[in-house]
């Protein structure tokens, strides 16, 4: 079984451009929403990481 930390590590390493393609090519609104949620989580993670690096929090 995959732990949440392992899942997050893989999720945060996904290519943003590839996720954007998956959103645009989604066959159902639910599928597009799923990938949009993943993209949102990655963007939040990257923003938090950047802030922490800049301010050494």
């Amino acid at each position: 079984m995959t732990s949440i930390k392992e899942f997050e590590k893989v999720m945060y390493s996904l290519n943003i451009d590839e996720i954007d393609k998956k959103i645009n090519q989604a066959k159902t609104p639910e599928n597009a929403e799923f990938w949009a949620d993943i993209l949102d989580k990655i963007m939040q993670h990257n923003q938090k990481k950047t802030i922490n690096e800049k301010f050494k929090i």
Side-chain angles (χ1 to χ4, degrees), residues 39-57:
L39 182 60
D40 186 51
K41 295 266 187 214
I42 292 170
M43 298 299 278
Q44 288 177 15
H45 172 77
N46 290 346
Q47 184 179 33
K48 184 177 178 182
K49 187 175 166 185
T50 300
I51 290 170
N52 287 346
E53 287 173 359
K54 283 190 175 186
F55 296 105
K56 302 286 183 193
I57 295 176

Side-chain angles (χ1 to χ4, degrees), residues 18-33:
E18 290 296 320
I19 295 174
D20 207 28
K21 283 182 192 174
K22 288 185 179 287
I23 293 168
N24 292 328
Q25 296 172 351
K27 295 186 192 263
T28 65
E30 293 83 9
N31 197 6
E33 186 175 334

